[in-house]
Amino acid sequence: MGAPASSVVVTAAAVVLLCGAFARAQDMDKEWARPPYRGYFGAPGSLLPQSDVDLLEFPLNLEYLETEFFCWSALGYGLDAIDASLTGGGPPSIGGQSASLTPFIRDVATQFCYQEVGHLRAIKQTVRGFPRPLLDISAANFGKIIEQALNATLDPPFNPYENSVNFLIASYILPYVGLTGYVGANPKLLTPQARKLLAGLLAVESAQDAVIRTLLYERGMTQMANYGVGVAEITAHISDLRNALGRRGVKDEGLVVAPGQGPEGLTVGNVIAGDNLSLAYDRTPEEILAIVYGTGNPAQHGGFFPQGADGRIARGLLV
């Protein structure tokens, strides 16, 4: 005697569910990173999806850059002399040197230096990461960026290591780009572990940017010797340049803005950049690379990264 029709239907449904579950398990197996094959390196038994690994590894490019610039400026040496293991065997940076800073600014720069070292440790304790890419932190490279922002040839050329004001202007170029990247990555992360790490990194990067902007805001009307332009005006030009290179509208603002564009439309002072609700702007990896390459194109390296940035996201965009 044959089985009841209802039993056949239930059995068939069960088979379909099992097949679906097996297929989903295979998909998850492809998606979730397992050391050492998919780039994950962290606490035993932990798993991160490949997308989280990629989004956490990408900022290493900016963290390496900030570490090298702040450490060289403050201490006269870079990551190799602090903890060579964190470099991953990557090439030494180009053009780093000790900056001529006041004791107060040197103290701030020293703190920034070691904070960035901590960021490298934090990221590399969670994901495998990659070696430090070749970085150009030379005075000549910063000089090109300032000339590009001002659309002028400067004589003498801008030198970030020459004095405290120049150092702060050069510093204005760095942490803000990274923090907009963290804001952009946040909603794309899938796991609490990744989001917690990113939140910690974002908080300190934002604080660094706030310190830099505050110190520059205090000097906003100071005229740059030989250049005939004020500090606040230079920050506006740098922000305009980053907006142009990023090609995604206004996501950057100088220390002084036009009437109606400050917080609640009631101030022209703009010590902290934010949108019309005073929320931080976001950027994608493509925008960030276009900015730090100085080319406006995430597939065309240059600027701070003569040979390009590293990580799956950056490498996947290079032509």
Side-chain angles (χ1 to χ4, degrees):
M1 185 174 179
S6 59
S7 299
V8 173
V9 172
V10 171
T11 301
V15 170
V16 170
L17 288 173
L18 285 171
C19 289
F22 179 73
R24 176 56 182 155
Q26 287 185 315
D27 291 340
M28 291 178 67
D29 186 62
K30 295 176 182 178
E31 170 65 11
W32 289 76
R34 290 173 169 79
Y37 308 107
R38 301 299 298 276
Y40 178 79
F41 179 77
S46 298
L47 295 174
L48 285 178
Q50 186 65 54
S51 59
D52 279 11
V53 173
D54 293 343
L55 288 169
L56 291 178
E57 284 190 333
F58 178 77
L60 277 173
N61 291 293
L62 277 298
E63 300 290 355
Y64 277 129
L65 174 61
E66 293 171 38
T67 301
E68 290 296 319
F69 177 65
F70 290 137
C71 291
W72 271 104
S73 297
L75 307 175
Y77 50 81
L79 189 58
D80 295 88
I82 296 172
D83 188 343
S85 69
L86 289 174
T87 71
S93 298
I94 300 170
Q97 62 186 83
S98 177
S100 179
L101 306 175
T102 65
F104 176 76
I105 298 300
R106 188 174 303 280
D107 179 40
V108 171
T110 300
Q111 294 178 52
F112 284 2
C113 160
Y114 290 125
Q115 288 166 2
E116 296 302 333
V117 173
H119 290 179
L120 292 175
R121 295 190 198 280
I123 295 174
K124 290 193 168 193
Q125 286 172 5
T126 306
V127 294
R128 188 180 302 279
F130 47 79
R132 176 185 56 198
L134 181 64
L135 300 169
D136 187 349
I137 56 171
S138 65
N141 188 47
F142 277 99
K144 289 177 184 177
I145 294 169
I146 299 300
E147 289 189 345
Q148 188 179 7
L150 295 176
N151 192 29
T153 300
L154 301 181
D155 185 21
F158 175 85
N159 181 351
Y161 303 105
E162 184 175 349
N163 55 55
S164 291
V165 173
N166 284 17
F167 165 77
L168 289 172
I169 289 172
S171 299
Y172 179 90
I173 296 172
L174 300 179
Y176 182 77
V177 177
L179 80 85
T180 58
Y182 284 133
V183 174
N186 179 56
K188 300 176 184 177
L189 293 172
L190 302 177
T191 61
Q193 180 185 4
R195 289 194 294 268
K196 180 179 179 181
L197 172 59
L198 183 140
L201 294 166
L202 173 59
V204 175
E205 291 291 325
S206 299
Q208 289 178 349
D209 182 65
V211 169
I212 293 164
R213 292 179 71 100
T214 300
L215 291 171
L216 286 171
Y217 190 73
E218 186 179 27
R219 298 162 172 79
M221 300 307 295
T222 301
Q223 292 290 305
M224 299 294 295
N226 304 312
Y227 302 152
V229 61
V231 168
E233 185 178 352
I234 286 183
T235 66
H237 284 298
I238 293 171
S239 289
D240 288 343
L241 173 62
R242 291 191 296 212
N243 285 328
L245 292 173
R247 300 183 179 183
R248 291 294 185 275
V250 175
K251 297 189 177 182
D252 218 306
E253 300 169 337
L255 297 173
V256 176
V257 292
Q261 293 183 3
E264 291 295 296
L266 299 176
T267 74
V268 294
N270 196 47
V271 70
I272 296 176
D275 65 14
N276 64 315
L277 296 176
S278 292
L279 300 177
Y281 292 103
D282 66 299
R283 282 192 170 112
T284 65
E286 290 83 356
E287 294 172 72
I288 289 172
L289 291 174
I291 292 168
V292 297
Y293 288 169
T295 62
N297 183 351
Q300 183 180 350
H301 55 72
F304 291 115
F305 296 85
Q307 297 177 354
D310 207 344
R312 278 166 44 105
I313 292 175
R315 290 198 308 269
L317 293 169
L318 289 175
V319 294

